[in-house]
Amino acid sequence: MSTTRAARVYLRVSTDEQDLERQEAMVVSSRTAGYYVAAVYREKASGARPDRPELLRMIADLQMGEVVIAEKIDRISRLPLAEAERLVTAIRDKGARLAVPGIVDLTDLAEDNGGVTRIVLEAVQDMLLRVALQTARDDYELRRERQREGIAIAKREGRYTGRKPDLAHHRRIVSLREAGMSIAKTAALAGCSIAQVKRVTALHRATKQSDACPTIP
């Protein structure tokens, strides 16, 4: 009697301006490969953040024998290698496995390999995963460096108008505060300073008060 293979699909983009439509194909391909999709987790947050709510919820939901499916490894992580490996370990500690095209695909997971063949396959996949995690982080650092260089050039030429506020980050801070988190706990979970938590909270309250005031003709 065959056992149903369950998968949880994780979809992520970095900003609210991006959409997840292209990645939705992973849900269809997972079912086509014979997996029961237990849940789909959709997130709009930087892969360099370890505190992504949907990612943490997915890990908490994982059951023994399930598979985590993502379009690319950088959807799962752009964290420094040590942190990325801890994330992968958290998935494996739940008795689950990670499936990413080009590193560990669904065919490999479905194959009933054993003995030396299985040991070699898993060793190669672990090596590829480690390289891919480091590459994802290197790409993130390169983008950040190019961004810094672009800002420096714009400043020299008088074209720099300042950094746009990270609205998604601000909403995360507000959500944590409204959920009853202290300022210090919010700063720790959101990965920012206590001063920023205070600024964002004060701005949010001022905006709410302004919206609540009737306009005098």
Side-chain angles (χ1 to χ4, degrees), residues 6 11 22 33 36 40 47 51 56 66 72 93 98 100 109 117 126 130 144 149 158 161 178 184 193-195 207 217:
L11 313 177
R22 189 194 73 250
Y36 162 70
V40 180
D51 63 336
L56 297 178
E66 291 184 337
K72 297 186 295 184
D93 284 348
L98 183 63
V100 179
L109 293 174
T117 301
D126 282 345
R130 184 181 178 87
R144 292 289 297 271
E149 290 174 352
T161 57
E178 290 183 341
S193 66
I194 288 176
T207 302

Side-chain angles (χ1 to χ4, degrees), residues 94-119:
K94 297 297 291 281
R97 302 185 68 176
L98 183 63
V100 179
I103 302 172
V104 184
D105 67 31
L106 297 178
T107 303
D108 291 333
L109 293 174
E111 287 176 353
D112 187 20
N113 292 312
V116 175
T117 301
R118 187 175 188 84
I119 292 171

Side-chain angles (χ1 to χ4, degrees), residues 19 41-42 57-58 125 127 148 153 158 181 189 203 214-215:
D19 65 66
Y41 302 80
R42 299 172 176 86
R57 186 168 74 88
M58 180 192 70
Q125 289 174 343
M127 179 189 69
R148 286 191 290 267
I153 292 171
M181 297 293 176
L189 291 173
L203 177 62
T215 302

Side-chain angles (χ1 to χ4, degrees), residues 127-174:
M127 179 189 69
L128 290 173
L129 179 59
R130 184 181 178 87
V131 170
L133 288 170
Q134 184 61 60
T135 300
R137 180 61 184 187
D138 289 345
D139 179 66
Y140 171 76
E141 294 288 359
L142 179 60
R143 292 183 186 206
R144 292 289 297 271
E145 180 59 30
R146 287 175 175 170
Q147 184 182 51
R148 286 191 290 267
E149 290 174 352
I151 290 173
I153 292 171
K155 284 182 176 179
R156 286 199 301 269
E157 296 178 353
R159 296 184 289 105
Y160 185 61
T161 57
R163 183 179 178 181
K164 295 180 180 179
D166 186 342
L167 299 180
H169 185 52
H170 287 190
R171 281 196 292 273
R172 185 180 296 111
I173 291 172
V174 170

Side-chain angles (χ1 to χ4, degrees), residues 10 12 22-23 26 46-48 52 55 68-79 81 84-85 87-88 91-92 98-104 125-139:
Y10 181 72
R12 183 190 67 78
R22 189 194 73 250
Q23 294 179 47
M26 296 301 300
S46 170
R52 285 167 274 156
L55 177 67
V68 174
I69 299 173
E71 179 194 36
K72 297 186 295 184
I73 193 61
D74 62 12
R75 299 302 95 192
I76 295 290
S77 172
R78 285 186 179 273
L79 293 162
L81 184 58
E85 289 184 321
L87 174 59
V88 173
I91 292 172
R92 289 176 172 173
L98 183 63
V100 179
I103 302 172
V104 184
Q125 289 174 343
D126 282 345
M127 179 189 69
L128 290 173
L129 179 59
R130 184 181 178 87
V131 170
L133 288 170
Q134 184 61 60
T135 300
R137 180 61 184 187
D138 289 345
D139 179 66

